[in-house]
Amino acid sequence: MTQPAIQFYDHNNRPIASAGGYDGAGDGMAGQTRGWSPSARTADAALLPDLELGNARAEDVVRNNAYGANAVQLHIDNIVGDLFRLSYKPNWKRLGVPEEEARAFAREVEMLWNEIAEDPGCYLDAERKRTFTMMIREGVGTHTRLGEIMRVPIWTNSYDSPIRTAIKTINPQRVSNPDGMMDTARIKGGVEQNRHGAALAYHLRNASEYGLGSGLGYKWERIPRFTRWGRPRFIHIFEPFGEGQTRGANQFLNVLEQMQMMPKMQKTKLQNAIVSAMYAATVESDLDSKEVFEMLGAGKASTTMTNYLSKQTQYYDEVNLKLGGVNVPHLLPNTHLNMQTSGNVDNGYVELESSLLRTLAAGTNSSYEELSRDFRQSSYSSNRASMLVSWRYYKGRRKIIAARDATMIFRLWFEEMVLSGQLRLPRAKMDLYDALAAWTNCTWIGTGRMAIDGVKEVKEALLRIEGGLSTYEKELANMGEDYQEVFAQQVRETEERKKAGLPPPSWSQVEAFAPAEQPQEA
């Protein structure tokens, strides 16, 4: 016998659909998610229509919101730091160069690079305002605010510069479709593409002559991505999160609403605190509007208000009630006394602000303690766990964004140095253009990881080295140092100590740095 079908109904007497495999794809409990029907979109369809407005809002938040500015600064300081060091590592096995010759060549390249890149003359910057480290710091900040880095290599004729290659930093907001045309399959977000989605050229909007208003003009320049012989003419760096994505998404898009509302909330609470502090008490009367207007004169000369206040004064002087020696205020009929205390100002605001800051920290991939600068409620363990999670994110950004940006600039510089004869390649099986990636292979050393307890973290690093789980190169890189420079300096200092008659330094065992505490006897 066939069982009858059972149908359930909600409180509006509508049939409840059968549950699917995932609750989130159904109607939810009592149909709360029935009206939630977002359409399926590609990455460009979700980003490009609101790209200009989203970027403008992110810029405004960073300019006017202290937490937004702090989030950008955290990215800059943790990803780049005060010096972005080159660690040149040519692939000598691939090139067929003996290892010792490759090491000697690497030292020569690093010396020449540091001489030019960090020179106060700012030769790598087309505007001659930024050293190489400053350029990378600015690039990371731009990527955090706008989701991408854009640069144009140019060939200069500066008589006082040792190089001809210079890099012009481009504001991503200048790249757009010419004359505001709609996106097409050929050009989207100001980027021309082939049928596979690879960029062919960029349309760059010119800057207005006087920089007034938005600072943008009404003419566009088409810049190919590469020259005919393959040299980059436009550098575009971002991390795509979807198929066919043309432009980068800024870091603040998912928390812009909260960031924009937080300053208004703070100002409102501040005004409330000021008003509460201005008045110790207020007296409310039940008089109607007509009587109040008559007391105030209603635009004509009147003594009503004066007489009323005189009677109040006389009444309060005559009434002198006390209870246990303490005065008891006795007001006129229909009059109420309200005490204003500053203790009512918070009213749960601190918890609300803390909750919002945790949302902002999650959206910007920063730790709550660093973003809010509030370390009161955290312990060593919680602080370290929070910062290690953020550090893993920053290391990824350093590799994918900052290091890629730096390597593109370094590759252009290296090519010119070789072709101009300032660098001579060692004898190898392959020339520069046969293995450009092998000749320009390098890593970059940024700022070191913050040490909450220096002694514990030094012991941890030494134990990893002694246990064969790490190397001095990796551990010193985590401290923001180049191990070759440290080793060379140690050799020099050891020789100088011998000449000065000083004992050799003690780098013996881990316990020499921080002896373990011995258990006390009972």
Side-chain angles (χ1 to χ4, degrees):
M1 181 176 180
T2 304
Q3 293 292 333
I6 299 176
Q7 180 67 57
F8 295 95
Y9 294 85
D10 62 12
H11 62 283
N12 292 321
N13 201 29
R14 291 180 298 189
I16 298 177
S18 60
Y22 293 92
D23 293 340
D27 290 340
M29 181 178 176
Q32 286 90 341
T33 59
R34 183 178 292 113
W36 181 25
S37 301
S39 59
R41 297 184 181 183
T42 63
D44 277 351
L47 176 65
L48 293 182
D50 300 319
L51 178 67
E52 183 178 349
L53 179 59
N55 285 342
R57 287 178 173 176
E59 292 273 45
D60 184 71
V61 159
V62 174
R63 279 193 295 262
N64 298 292
N65 188 314
Y67 294 115
N70 187 34
V72 174
Q73 195 63 45
L74 285 173
H75 281 71
I76 294 174
D77 292 339
N78 284 281
I79 295 174
V80 183
D82 61 336
L83 180 62
F84 211 52
R85 298 170 181 263
L86 167 68
S87 180
Y88 179 52
K89 298 177 180 294
N91 193 341
W92 54 273
K93 291 184 178 180
R94 162 86 168 144
L95 299 171
V97 179
E99 183 176 2
E100 290 302 321
E101 291 186 24
R103 289 182 179 275
F105 179 66
R107 288 191 291 269
E108 180 185 357
V109 170
E110 290 178 359
M111 179 181 64
L112 183 58
W113 167 260
N114 292 331
E115 178 184 341
I116 294 177
E118 300 302 329
D119 191 285
C122 305
Y123 302 121
L124 280 173
D125 182 22
E127 298 180 6
R128 302 292 288 271
K129 299 174 182 176
R130 310 164 184 87
T131 63
F132 170 74
T133 297
M134 294 171 65
M135 292 171 65
I136 302 302
R137 285 174 61 90
E138 181 187 27
V140 169
T142 301
H143 184 274
T144 307
R145 298 191 315 272
L146 303 177
E148 50 196 351
I149 302 174
M150 294 182 174
R151 304 189 192 275
V152 173
I154 61 177
W155 193 255
T156 65
N157 295 312
S158 301
Y159 67 92
D160 60 337
S161 175
I163 57 174
R164 303 286 294 278
T165 299
I167 308 298
K168 172 68 174 176
T169 301
I170 301 298
N171 186 340
Q173 295 181 97
R174 292 179 57 192
V175 176
S176 60
N177 292 344
D179 301 318
M181 63 178 287
M182 299 292 291
D183 290 334
T184 64
R186 185 183 66 88
I187 176 171
K188 293 186 292 185
V191 183
E192 287 187 31
Q193 299 176 329
N194 62 16
R195 62 189 182 92
H196 300 295
L200 300 176
Y202 293 79
H203 291 266
L204 183 63
R205 189 175 180 179
N206 73 322
S208 62
E209 184 177 357
Y210 302 104
L212 301 177
S214 66
L216 300 175
Y218 299 96
K219 294 182 180 180
W220 279 260
E221 176 187 2
R222 182 182 184 273
I223 303 178
R225 186 180 180 185
F226 298 102
T227 62
R228 294 191 307 273
W229 55 92
R231 181 178 172 88
R233 286 196 60 189
F234 198 99
I235 299 174
H236 184 202
I237 294 172
F238 70 99
E239 184 176 9
F241 56 83
E243 176 193 1
Q245 185 173 341
T246 305
R247 300 287 298 272
N250 72 67
Q251 196 73 35
F252 296 99
L253 283 178
N254 57 353
V255 290
L256 275 176
E257 184 178 1
Q258 290 87 342
M259 279 198 163
Q260 194 266 347
M261 295 301 296
M262 180 173 281
K264 295 182 179 180
M265 185 175 66
Q266 290 173 330
K267 291 178 182 178
T268 302
K269 295 302 295 184
L270 179 60
Q271 291 173 346
N272 184 24
I274 292 174
V275 171
S276 298
M278 289 173 61
Y279 300 96
T282 57
V283 176
E284 297 180 2
S285 176
D286 289 344
L287 295 176
D288 58 25
S289 301
K290 182 179 179 181
E291 293 173 331
V292 171
F293 279 123
E294 290 178 355
M295 288 183 182
L296 295 176
K300 60 183 180 180
S302 174
T303 59
T304 306
M305 189 65 178
T306 304
N307 296 333
Y308 177 74
L309 292 176
S310 298
K311 291 179 179 180
Q312 276 194 321
T313 303
Q314 180 181 0
Y315 176 82
Y316 289 134
D317 288 340
E318 295 176 354
V319 176
N320 188 19
L321 297 179
K322 290 187 178 182
L323 179 62
V326 179
N327 288 332
V328 177
H330 192 93
L331 303 180
L332 286 173
N334 299 326
T335 305
H336 310 280
L337 177 66
N338 297 322
M339 301 301 297
Q340 305 296 324
T341 61
S342 58
N344 295 330
V345 174
D346 180 82
N347 197 22
Y349 174 75
V350 173
E351 288 77 7
L352 175 61
E353 184 183 50
S354 177
S355 176
L356 284 175
L357 286 175
R358 293 185 186 280
T359 301
L360 302 185
T364 57
N365 289 287
S366 306
S367 68
Y368 165 78
E369 292 80 9
E370 289 179 309
L371 182 67
S372 64
R373 303 297 176 94
D374 181 10
F375 298 88
R376 295 172 298 174
Q377 305 298 327
S378 55
S379 62
Y380 167 79
S381 299
S382 61
N383 266 335
R384 192 168 190 271
S386 176
M387 291 182 180
L388 284 177
V389 171
S390 298
W391 175 248
R392 183 168 55 185
Y393 162 78
Y394 291 135
K395 285 189 68 176
R397 285 295 187 184
R398 179 183 298 174
K399 179 68 175 179
I400 296 172
I401 304 301
R404 184 181 169 201
D405 183 24
T407 301
M408 294 293 293
I409 297 175
F410 170 74
R411 182 174 291 186
L412 294 168
W413 170 88
F414 186 87
E415 180 184 18
E416 180 186 343
M417 291 296 101
V418 172
L419 296 180
S420 65
Q422 297 186 55
L423 276 177
R424 294 187 61 183
L425 298 179
R427 296 182 60 181
K429 294 187 301 184
M430 299 181 177
D431 65 14
L432 178 63
Y433 293 107
D434 288 336
L436 182 60
W439 280 112
T440 57
N441 183 53
C442 58
T443 59
W444 298 90
I445 303 173
T447 187
R449 187 179 66 195
M450 180 182 296
I452 302 176
D453 189 326
V455 175
K456 291 182 180 179
E457 301 196 15
V458 168
K459 288 183 65 176
E460 180 184 353
L462 290 174
L463 285 171
R464 280 197 295 260
I465 293 173
E466 292 296 326
L469 302 176
S470 185
T471 63
Y472 282 103
E473 180 180 9
K474 291 182 178 180
E475 297 303 327
L476 285 170
N478 281 335
M479 297 173 60
E481 301 291 343
D482 186 341
Y483 82 103
Q484 293 178 332
E485 293 181 6
V486 173
F487 284 1
Q489 182 65 26
Q490 288 176 348
V491 170
R492 287 191 293 269
E493 291 181 0
T494 301
E495 293 299 324
E496 291 178 6
R497 290 176 70 91
K498 287 181 180 179
K499 292 179 182 179
L502 297 173
S506 175
W507 304 322
S508 52
Q509 299 180 358
V510 180
E511 292 300 320
F513 288 87
E517 296 181 0
Q518 299 297 327
Q520 297 180 356
E521 295 182 1

